[in-house]
Amino acid sequence: MIAHKREPVLSVRGLSKMYGKGCPSCQTLTGPEFNNNVCPVCSSILALHDISFDLYEGEILGIVGESGSGKSSLVQCLYFDQDATSGEVYLAHYNEGKDNVLNIPASKKRYLRNHLMGMVYQNPVLGLKLNISSGGNIAEKLLAADLYIYEEIRERGKKLLEKTEIPMYYMDEIPKKLSGGMQQRVQIAKALANNPPLLLLDEVTTGLDVSVQARVLDLIKALQQELQISMIVVSHDLGVIRLLTNRTLVLKNGRLVEVGLTDQIMEDPQHAYSQLLVHSML
Amino acid sequence: MNNLLAKTKGTFQYNFAFIDEGSKREIRRKILKAIAIPGHQVPFASRELPIARGWGTGGLQITMSIIGPDDVLKVIDQGCDGSVNAVSLRNLLVKTTGVRTTFDSREATIIQTRHRIPEIPLKEGQILVYQVPLPEPLRRVEPRETETRRMHGESEYSPLWVSLYEDIVKWQAVSIGASYPCRVNEHYIMAPSPIPKYDINKLNMAENLNLFGAGREKRIYAVPPYTKVEPLQFSDKPFTIEDFSGLSCRRCGARNTFLDEIYDEETGEKYYVCSDTGNCDLLRQKNQEELRDEHDCA
Ligand SMILES: Nc1ncnc2c1ncn2[C@@H]1O[C@H](COP(=O)(O)OP(=O)(O)OP(=O)(O)O)[C@@H](O)[C@H]1O
Ligand SMILES: [Mg+2]
Ligand SMILES: [Zn+2]
């Protein structure tokens, strides 16, 4: 096991995300006991409820759970794609972790997204503009961080392609023409553009060929070792989680049902749902 | 109130400058807001006018709302006082206000324009009113209005920058000609109506007030006097303007004005004339006076 510094780069406390208006019964009538996240009274979806965890420097944290358990909602709230309904999020790199970044102004959130975070979406359409060249997609992240020197943007773009093992001649090609695996690499290159301390990866290998999957996973592992970025890796594939992560959160119907070292969860899952999850995989 | 009513030739009486005073006040409020937030597009309730939308009704409503009996008016279309559109807009304004008009930009207190800024730098106290067809600089990268509004609110301009980047990758230069996007007062990005790149630098720290009106899109925005206006450019790919070096105006001989390309109908020969006809006339007059002076000496 890698020893981590004890300072969390990211602290999440009591995070909740509701799609819909919500009512007093939402909390009490949803969750793993009901095997449901839809409130029977008001039909709101309680996608996440009272989620708390820390992410330590240089750590890869896994988030696993069945479809609809709230994995994407969680990373999208952290990346400000979705507004969390309540809760607190602290980033060590932002004002020494003193501010709940869920409450800072939109312009500051934009700054955080562009300078301190990178995101790779399950669906490349969300992370890339498929009609703009790969280099242009990477440039967007650099421009969003106020780099307005054309030649430097080109140089940085080339280095990022190199780092993510994308052939140089794809730089000025539109991602629409690239394979799914290449598109995910371009997303990773874009996410890394401003050397963020935090990288969010949502189902980065889902839908790829097994051999392509393996190479993308190798790349992520290599990048993490080289750059010491803290990462959150979302997957419903325990194989991916086992390969990449040190610790894992298990989500079910929007609730956190288990947290622990990935190896321990795989060997000896505590929560009934985790047991089901692990055993169904074996 | 009587002096605000201008009698027309027919039996109808219009309010001074056609629009009713209540609507004018409303438009003036929007103009003040636009001046207070340079480059920010302020929505306004566009009125029905006896001119079809898309023919300068945005600029016209601004002019009608700010003009007074003592103003001196100039109306130009692509720099020209005599084009059909300029003439009909001028006629409408004169008919409903009775104000004095001029072709000399220095004399005018209000200049309504389409596509050009006069060559002679404008001064304090002068107002340049632009007729704007497409007020949204982000439209080329984002079709949704709700999104462009959010992007302005959060200063999220990187998609527009990416379009400049892509242009340079493909064509070694930015391909935008007219309405080149500019950053106003180091904040909002603005579409400076379809003026040529040649005119962009005139906006920067201009002494005059600039008011932009888009009738169809119902937007008013402004560049107040002495405001920074910068075309978007990479620091190592400087913004360039139209190049007329080696060319001159066939009418006045000027070598340092924005020129229109014209083909002689009979010979098919290409030649150039000043786009700003008022300034061209002034220069011709000056040439003739100089010629006369020379004769006097001789
Ligand atoms: N934008 C939205 N509006 C309304 N409901 C949503 C929205 N996004 C997600 N949901 C709902 O929230 C719940 C959690 O969805 P989420 O996408 O976070 O799950 P997930 O764990 O990522 O699932 P998957 O494995 O299928 O990607 C689901 O019930 C989903 O239907
Ligand atoms: Mg998901
Ligand atoms: Zn001339």
Side-chain angles (χ1 to χ4, degrees):
Chain A
M1 271 286 101
I2 302 164
H4 299 293
K5 287 196 204 158
R6 286 291 90 195
E7 274 307 293
V9 279
L10 170 75
S11 294
V12 176
R13 293 290 174 270
L15 186 77
S16 297
K17 173 64 189 173
M18 173 93 73
Y19 297 105
K21 284 209 177 76
C23 77
S25 303
C26 291
Q27 281 179 38
T28 48
L29 298 180
T30 62
E33 313 86 279
F34 300 89
N35 195 24
N36 200 352
N37 63 3
V38 184
C39 173
V41 178
C42 74
S43 326
S44 299
I45 295 175
L46 193 50
L48 295 168
H49 179 64
D50 198 20
I51 306 293
S52 299
F53 65 91
D54 289 323
L55 172 71
Y56 294 98
E57 200 174 322
E59 181 185 32
I60 306 188
L61 180 70
I63 297 179
V64 70
E66 66 194 4
S67 184
S69 58
K71 306 181 298 294
S72 293
S73 297
L74 178 54
V75 283
Q76 285 175 10
C77 285
L78 296 178
Y79 199 59
F80 307 118
D81 279 338
Q82 294 284 353
D83 287 324
T85 308
S86 59
E88 294 160 39
V89 174
Y90 301 93
L91 283 160
H93 292 84
Y94 182 74
N95 198 17
E96 295 166 8
K98 287 183 200 142
D99 295 349
N100 176 5
V101 297
L102 296 180
N103 293 338
I104 62 179
S107 59
K108 294 238 170 78
K109 287 182 180 171
R110 217 180 81 77
Y111 174 87
L112 276 189
R113 259 170 81 106
N114 292 328
H115 290 82
L116 301 184
M117 298 186 208
M119 170 83 141
V120 176
Y121 295 86
Q122 170 171 0
N123 186 348
V125 170
L126 293 176
L128 299 176
K129 294 197 175 120
L130 299 186
N131 286 321
I132 286 172
S133 69
S134 304
N137 273 286
I138 296 167
E140 178 163 2
K141 190 90 177 170
L142 295 168
L143 287 161
D146 298 323
L147 176 65
Y148 299 120
I149 308 167
Y150 178 81
E151 290 302 340
E152 192 173 335
I153 291 169
R154 294 290 289 176
E155 255 341 282
R156 300 257 298 261
K158 283 177 193 160
K159 289 215 177 90
L160 285 158
L161 292 193
E162 213 168 282
K163 195 172 268 175
T164 48
E165 297 160 7
I166 302 171
M168 211 45 76
Y169 54 85
Y170 286 159
M171 177 124 170
D172 298 332
E173 290 283 343
I174 57 174
K176 206 180 234 171
K177 293 186 183 164
L178 307 184
S179 67
M182 274 303 153
Q183 289 182 356
Q184 291 307 56
R185 283 173 196 267
V186 177
Q187 276 209 81
I188 295 170
K190 178 181 176 179
L192 292 174
N194 294 314
N195 300 316
L198 175 60
L199 192 60
L200 307 169
L201 302 158
D202 191 358
E203 308 272 6
V204 65
T205 56
T206 307
L208 301 180
D209 284 356
V210 179
S211 63
V212 180
Q213 266 191 31
R215 268 181 279 143
V216 172
L217 295 175
D218 284 347
L219 171 67
I220 291 166
K221 223 166 162 74
L223 288 172
Q224 198 274 337
Q225 265 154 23
E226 184 196 335
L227 307 171
Q228 286 296 303
I229 308 178
S230 313
M231 296 187 189
I232 292 180
V233 172
V234 167
S235 185
H236 64 261
D237 181 341
L238 286 177
V240 170
I241 296 291
R242 193 205 294 255
L243 189 75
L244 290 181
T245 71
N246 318 118
R247 279 192 316 134
T248 298
L249 313 181
V250 182
L251 288 186
K252 162 91 173 138
N253 303 118
R255 313 296 159 103
L256 186 55
V257 294
E258 187 158 352
V259 193
L261 294 174
T262 303
D263 290 348
Q264 264 172 30
I265 288 179
M266 298 290 170
E267 305 293 313
D268 182 23
Q270 299 301 304
H271 192 275
Y273 174 69
S274 316
Q275 289 165 3
L276 209 67
L277 203 67
V278 170
H279 294 140
S280 67
M281 184 210 168
L282 298 176
Chain B
M1 212 49 193
N2 239 348
N3 63 336
L4 286 176
L5 296 174
K7 211 172 162 117
T8 60
K9 283 192 191 117
T11 49
F12 288 108
Q13 279 205 329
Y14 296 109
N15 188 38
F16 179 84
F18 191 80
I19 301 178
D20 67 274
E21 294 303 310
S23 300
K24 283 188 194 171
R25 221 170 294 131
E26 177 62 17
I27 292 173
R28 286 198 291 261
R29 267 197 286 271
K30 303 296 183 187
I31 293 171
L32 288 175
K33 182 170 178 190
I35 292 170
I37 317 171
H40 172 62
Q41 299 167 53
V42 180
F44 79 110
S46 196
R47 265 73 190 172
E48 291 299 331
L49 291 176
I51 281 190
R53 286 198 176 141
W55 293 93
T57 54
L60 197 55
Q61 288 175 77
I62 289 180
T63 300
M64 286 172 158
S65 301
I66 60 174
I67 200 165
D70 298 331
D71 272 308
V72 181
L73 177 71
K74 176 177 162 83
V75 181
I76 46 175
D77 186 335
Q78 310 244 31
C80 177
D81 298 271
S83 81
V84 178
N85 289 337
V87 170
S88 64
L89 289 172
R90 184 186 308 111
N91 285 347
L92 177 67
L93 285 164
V94 168
K95 214 161 135 185
T96 56
T97 64
V99 300
R100 195 154 72 80
T101 63
T102 181
F103 289 175
D104 184 343
S105 64
R106 296 168 303 179
E107 278 181 11
T109 55
I110 299 176
I111 302 173
Q112 182 169 325
T113 181
R114 177 173 167 269
H115 292 15
R116 278 308 312 279
I117 296 177
E119 297 289 358
I120 301 171
L122 297 174
K123 297 264 180 252
E124 278 184 25
Q126 292 188 293
I127 302 177
L128 187 57
V129 179
Y130 302 71
Q131 301 166 198
V132 180
L134 299 169
E136 181 48 74
L138 299 175
R139 194 62 72 221
R140 57 188 255 128
V141 294
E142 177 52 63
R144 290 164 297 178
E145 179 65 25
T146 47
E147 270 299 289
T148 52
R149 225 176 283 180
R150 183 191 61 77
M151 290 162 76
H152 283 295
E154 296 175 18
S155 277
E156 192 193 318
Y157 292 130
S158 47
L160 186 59
W161 278 100
V162 169
S163 76
L164 305 190
Y165 164 95
E166 294 271 293
D167 275 4
I168 298 175
V169 170
K170 282 185 209 140
W171 296 295
Q172 285 73 53
V174 176
S175 65
I176 307 170
S179 202
Y180 192 97
C182 295
R183 191 144 207 164
V184 181
N185 199 26
E186 300 182 347
H187 194 124
Y188 287 106
I189 288 182
M190 169 188 93
S193 91
I195 57 170
K197 297 204 281 178
Y198 181 93
D199 284 344
I200 294 286
N201 293 332
K202 294 181 192 164
L203 272 170
N204 186 35
M205 299 308 277
E207 293 180 22
N208 66 295
L209 170 61
N210 297 276
L211 298 176
F212 299 81
R216 206 174 4 161
E217 310 246 349
K218 306 185 176 69
R219 290 288 184 281
I220 288 173
Y221 50 104
V223 174
Y226 305 106
T227 301
K228 209 164 163 185
V229 176
E230 306 156 284
L232 294 196
Q233 59 186 326
F234 292 101
S235 55
D236 53 345
K237 299 280 172 189
F239 171 78
T240 54
I241 62 171
E242 294 82 357
D243 182 14
F244 298 111
S245 54
L247 304 174
S248 60
C249 170
R250 187 155 100 171
R251 289 177 76 235
C252 75
R255 295 177 177 284
N256 54 353
T257 62
F258 189 86
L259 299 171
D260 285 339
E261 207 176 84
I262 312 250
Y263 287 88
D264 190 308
E265 275 177 30
E266 275 156 33
T267 64
E269 179 205 358
K270 183 162 76 174
Y271 64 96
Y272 295 88
V273 292
C274 290
S275 139
D276 181 343
T277 54
N279 184 54
C280 188
D281 287 346
L282 289 174
L283 291 173
R284 284 218 304 175
Q285 220 174 317
K286 209 171 125 207
N287 291 346
Q288 272 157 16
E289 276 161 20
E290 273 167 17
L291 221 59
R292 218 172 16 228
D293 287 350
E294 275 173 35
H295 289 311
D296 287 348
C297 290

